[in-house]
Amino acid sequence: MAPCMHAAWLQVSSGTAVVRAVFKDPNGAFIAGGATVARSGCWSMLKGGMTAFASGPGELFFEADGRVDIWVDSVSLQPFSFPEWEEHRRLSAGKARRSVVKVVARAADGVPLPNANVSVKLLRPGFPFGNAMTKEILDIPAYEQWFASRFTVASFENEMKWYSTEWMENHEDYTVADAMLRLAQKHGIAVRGHNVLWDTNDTQVSWVKPLDAQRLKAALQKRISSVVSRYAGKVIAWDVVNENLHGQFFESRLGRNASSEVYQRVARIDRTARLFMNEFGTLEEPLDAAAISSKYVAKLKQIRSYPGNRGIKLAVGLESHFGTPNIPYMRATLDMLAQLRVPIWLTEVDVGPKGAPYVPVYLEEVLREGYGHPNVEGMVMWAAWHAQGCWVMCLTDNNFNNLPAGDRVDKLIAEWRAHPEGATMDANGVTELDLVHGEYNFTVTHPSLGSPAVRTLTVDASSSAVEHTIDIKV
C-alpha cells in the first residue's frame, strides 16, 4: 500500500476529448487517477495520483469519452512510501508556514542589551483557518465561545445567500447576516462573502427561475449592487458565481459571458476583496469531468481574459467535500492549479458519509495536505453546527464538547500555532527564533530596564531575510 503520483502528455486524433487515467491494482480493482481535456494537434498534460492498497504488478490505462485514438508520451510514475510522503509534506509546511527570525534588542542609544530575556506570544496566526458559521451562534454563548477560540475566518453557511436575503422579490432583509458580521468583527474573525450568486438551477430563489432574460439581468444587477455594496470592505473575499462549472443557470439565459460580466461588476464595487471561483469536485473527484483541473483553469482564464477583467483580484476556491480522499490526486491537482498564479483556498472542507467511520482520520489528512502545500493560502471547513444535526460532518455535540473530528482539528490548531515561548539573547543582544507566521508580542526584560518592553511584530515569508530590531527606550 503506497501513494503514487503520475504525469503524462496526451493528444487525441481529432477534436477534443476528456481522457482519464485509470489504474488496475494487483487485486483487479480499478482506481481513478485523474483526467484532462486532450486535443488534436497539441499536447496536454494529465497529472494525477492514487494510493494502491495492494502490492505487485499493476496496469495503467488511458480512456476517452469519445471515439478517438489517444497518443501518450513521457509517462512518469513516482511512488512514495508513506513515511516519505509525510516527510515531504512536513518539510513543505515548515518552509511555507514558518521562518527563522533574527531578533535584536537594543537600548535607546543603539547599544545591544546582552543576555536580555525575550518572551514571545502569538496574537494571531498568519494562516487563515476557519469554519462555516450559522445564525444559531447569535443566541448561544457556548457556540460563540467555541468558535471564536479556534477560528480566524468564517463563511456564513446560508445567511448571506440570495435566497436568504431576498426570499420575496424586492423584500430584502440582511438583519441576520449583519448581526453575524458584527459578532465576527467583535472577535477579529475575518468573513468570506458566500455567495453573490449561485449558478445551479436548484439553488435559485423561486421567483427568479421564471424571469425572462431582461428581467433576470435586472434582478441579477440589483442583487450584485445590494449585497456587494453592503459588505464591501467588510469581507475579505466573495464567492462570486458559485459552482459555475457544474451550473449554467445564468449562462443559459444571459449568454456565455454572463459569469465574466458578474465578476467585473463585483470588482468595480469591491476593489479590496478577492473574487473566488468556488467549485466542488475539482479536488475531490478524479473522474468529475465537469470540474477537472484543466476545465477549471480554462474557465478562470476565460473570466480573466474578458475585456476589462485583466486586473481583477481572482482566486481559486476548492470546496473540498470529500468521501474517501485521494490524497496524491489532491496534491497533483493543487500543483496544476498553481499555474494560475492566484491564491488558492480550500473553502468548504468536510468528509461525508462515504468516509465513515474514518472521518477524523481522513479530515486530518486533507487538512494536513492543504496546509503543507505552498500555494494554499487558507482553509475553511464546512462543519457548521445545527441543533438538528450538521450537513455531513460535526465537530461537536450539542453541548459544544468535541467529537473525535473536533479533537483532530484542535490537535492541528495547537500544532500549527506552536512556537518557542521565549529565549535569552546572546552577548550582542541577538537571538534566532523559529516561528510560525503570524502577529506576535515580543516582551523584553533586562536589568537595565525599569519595566518590560513590549513590541508587536508580524512574522511572514519575508521575515527570514530581515533583521528584526526591538529598540528599547530607557
Side-chain angles (χ1 to χ4, degrees), residues 149-459:
S149 65
R150 287 164 172 81
F151 304 120
T152 60
V153 63
S155 292
F156 301 166
E157 186 183 46
N158 293 307
E159 291 80 3
M160 206 176 280
K161 294 172 181 173
W162 198 357
Y163 58 62
S164 295
T165 62
E166 194 178 4
W167 183 252
M168 295 177 60
E169 187 174 9
N170 295 323
H171 289 78
E172 293 183 324
D173 185 356
Y174 289 95
T175 304
V176 174
D178 286 351
M180 292 173 69
L181 179 65
R182 287 193 297 271
L183 183 145
Q185 290 172 331
K186 180 178 73 173
H187 294 287
I189 297 170
V191 175
R192 301 183 70 258
H194 180 75
N195 49 46
V196 180
L197 298 171
W198 207 336
D199 214 9
T200 55
N201 290 341
D202 60 352
T203 55
Q204 304 306 319
V205 194
S206 58
W207 61 266
V208 168
K209 292 181 180 180
L211 298 179
D212 60 29
Q214 183 177 357
R215 293 180 62 209
L216 177 61
K217 187 172 184 178
L220 175 152
Q221 292 175 353
K222 177 175 176 287
R223 160 65 179 175
I224 295 169
S225 177
S226 175
V227 70
V228 180
S229 296
R230 190 178 194 89
Y231 298 118
K234 300 175 183 178
V235 298
I236 61 169
W238 289 104
D239 293 330
V240 179
V241 186
N242 209 42
E243 299 173 358
N244 65 344
L245 288 177
H246 287 92
Q248 294 288 308
F249 180 82
F250 295 103
E251 287 83 354
S252 66
R253 291 158 176 80
L254 301 177
R256 177 177 181 270
N257 293 316
S259 292
S260 301
E261 293 170 359
V262 171
Y263 276 84
Q264 187 172 108
R265 285 183 171 274
V266 172
R268 287 174 178 169
I269 298 171
D270 191 343
R271 299 184 180 275
T272 61
R274 280 283 173 185
L275 307 187
F276 280 77
M277 181 176 146
N278 197 45
E279 191 57 70
F280 70 90
T282 306
L283 202 60
E284 310 96 291
E285 298 291 343
L287 299 184
D288 185 346
I292 54 179
S293 60
S294 55
K295 289 189 177 180
Y296 190 107
V297 169
K299 182 67 175 181
L300 199 70
K301 286 183 176 179
Q302 176 193 334
I303 293 167
R304 184 159 54 188
S305 64
Y306 185 73
N309 282 3
R310 181 62 63 179
I312 65 177
K313 299 169 64 174
L314 293 171
V316 170
L318 304 170
E319 293 185 13
S320 308
H321 297 297
F322 287 92
T324 301
N326 182 337
I327 297 296
Y329 174 76
M330 177 182 174
R331 184 178 295 183
T333 301
L334 290 171
D335 289 346
M336 292 296 290
L337 294 172
Q339 69 179 282
L340 289 165
R341 300 184 181 277
V342 299
I344 299 174
W345 280 50
L346 312 188
T347 55
E348 303 181 18
V349 181
D350 59 23
V351 178
K354 290 182 181 179
Y358 304 107
V359 168
V361 176
Y362 289 162
L363 176 63
E364 181 177 346
E365 278 295 296
V366 168
L367 293 175
R368 284 193 182 278
E369 193 64 32
Y371 186 79
H373 198 283
N375 296 102
V376 174
E377 297 190 10
M379 297 190 296
V380 177
M381 294 178 293
W382 212 247
W385 179 86
H386 294 279
Q388 70 273 22
C390 308
W391 187 53
V392 297
M393 183 183 78
C394 286
L395 299 180
T396 74
D397 62 20
N398 283 354
N399 293 315
F400 299 96
N401 299 309
N402 273 357
L403 297 171
D407 285 338
R408 296 284 179 136
V409 169
D410 280 0
K411 179 180 77 171
L412 292 175
I413 290 173
E415 179 182 321
W416 295 342
R417 296 182 181 183
H419 63 279
E421 296 182 357
T424 300
M425 306 289 193
D426 64 16
N428 297 312
V430 177
T431 190
E432 288 190 346
L433 300 169
D434 183 3
L435 298 175
V436 66
H437 296 163
E439 185 180 7
Y440 288 87
N441 267 352
F442 292 81
T443 302
V444 176
T445 58
H446 189 266
S448 66
L449 301 179
S451 60
V454 181
R455 298 292 183 269
T456 301
L457 296 173
T458 296
V459 176

